[in-house]
Amino acid sequence: MRKFFLILAFLFLTGVSFADDDMMDLDYDFINNAFSNPNPTTNKQFEEVMKQYENKEPRGFFYNIRKFFNKNNPAFDNDFKKKYENTNNQPSRLKDVPQSKPTITIGANFYDAEGNILEAGHYQAEYKKDGEHYTITLLQGNTRVADIKAKPYEDSWDTPAVVYARTVNIRQDLLGIIYSNLDITILGYLRLVR
């Protein structure tokens, strides 16, 4: 162990002496005056260099092999990258959210506004406004299943969603559906089958 420390101390001391010798070769005038007389780059020169490296298609044998085996990977599809690299072209934009249809689950059979009995299940909800009257439409796929009369409502429920629908129990045989989006929050009632 003692020999190890002696060898380590010897290497450290000799390394410091080599570093001292190397430091003597530096040009201290250049270090002190490095930024005193700069050679500025013009905008034209900068643009030319940027064009060389911007949008440069990778080439080479190995890149072509990787591209062949990763055909469905968007990293190798330049058209896909150009289509979605702008933030306004992202697939799920905030302005598309109000057109989304939230899903609710109704756990019992119920009557719609026309008195028809409908089965329990999962439904997508959307709303329509006719003059001053509101209607919540329940959909399964693209098929309209039920229309529910609704009225404006002040919802105090904290939600992270922009568009949502939820159910609330009003009474034992009455269920409320709350639909909300950026514009309005409305409440409709369903009478459960007993």
Side-chain angles (χ1 to χ4, degrees), residues 134 136 150-159 164 166 168 170 177-189:
Y134 296 97
I136 297 175
K151 61 181 182 176
Y153 178 71
E154 186 68 34
D155 193 8
S156 61
W157 188 56
D158 294 328
T159 178
Y164 67 91
R166 65 184 182 98
V168 291
I170 307 296
I177 295 179
I178 298 173
Y179 176 87
S180 180
N181 64 15
L182 292 171
D183 300 325
I184 194 164
T185 301
I186 53 177
L187 170 68
Y189 296 101

Side-chain angles (χ1 to χ4, degrees), residues 83-146:
K83 184 175 179 183
Y84 291 111
E85 67 187 2
N86 187 356
T87 56
N88 293 330
N89 294 335
Q90 296 300 319
S92 61
R93 298 179 297 224
L94 183 62
K95 65 182 183 181
D96 292 337
V97 171
Q99 281 73 32
S100 66
K101 298 172 187 166
T103 303
I104 59 171
T105 302
I106 300 173
N109 294 344
F110 61 94
Y111 294 104
D112 65 355
E114 298 169 358
N116 300 326
I117 296 178
L118 297 167
E119 294 182 358
H122 301 283
Y123 296 93
Q124 289 182 319
E126 66 179 6
Y127 88 103
K128 290 187 273 183
K129 181 179 179 182
D130 297 325
E132 293 191 22
H133 300 287
Y134 296 97
T135 305
I136 297 175
T137 303
L138 299 180
L139 305 164
Q140 285 187 330
N142 290 329
T143 306
R144 184 179 57 81
V145 178

Side-chain angles (χ1 to χ4, degrees), residues 2 12 52 58 60 64 73 77 100 137 143 151 154 191 193:
R2 190 176 196 189
F12 178 72
Q52 289 177 353
N64 290 337
N73 187 348
D77 189 357
S100 66
T137 303
T143 306
K151 61 181 182 176
E154 186 68 34
R191 186 157 309 275
V193 176

Side-chain angles (χ1 to χ4, degrees), residues 71-83:
K71 292 177 199 172
N72 298 327
N73 187 348
F76 294 100
D77 189 357
N78 286 332
D79 294 332
F80 181 80
K81 280 196 258 185
K82 289 176 185 171
K83 184 175 179 183

